[in-house]
Amino acid sequence: MTQSAPAPNDAPVASHDHLVRSSLQRAGRLPVDAWTVTDSDDLFDAGLTSHASVAVLVDLEDSIGTEFPDVLLRKSTFASIATIRAALALVLEGTDGTDGRKDAAASVPGSRR
């Protein structure tokens, strides 16, 4: 049985997932392999510290060549791989996702305050 190729719209998700997991592996100082964490696992429960989340942020910014807007610099943005990936997608789209709102983290699916 051959495996079908991913749908074209899955390519950005896979690419973003690779960026996020690679940054977590390099800079997150997690006691577990970042490639074994599920999308929805709480990264802080998995051992990510606030200091390490900043290191992940800087690593991601270096990888993509742009900065995350201040409105996305919240603990909730770095709560899971899914929330980091969603924030990364917003940054790469050239938007912070606020649409004029003060709480951009609300636009990141699965984020908590």
Side-chain angles (χ1 to χ4, degrees), residues 27-100:
R29 298 187 281 273
L30 292 173
V32 297
D33 186 331
W35 298 93
T36 64
V37 177
T38 69
D39 285 358
S40 61
D41 284 347
D42 186 305
L43 292 174
F44 294 100
D45 286 347
L48 186 70
T49 64
S50 294
H51 189 263
S53 70
V54 172
V56 170
L57 168 71
V58 170
D59 188 82
L60 279 170
E61 289 177 338
D62 288 346
S63 295
I64 63 173
T66 191
E67 294 182 2
F68 276 54
D70 290 347
V71 294
L72 291 176
L73 304 183
R74 297 175 173 262
K75 184 177 180 179
S76 59
T77 300
F78 297 89
S80 70
I81 288 174
T83 57
I84 298 171
R85 192 174 56 228
L88 179 63
L90 290 172
V91 171
L92 291 174
E93 290 169 4
T95 178
D96 61 16
T98 62
D99 298 327

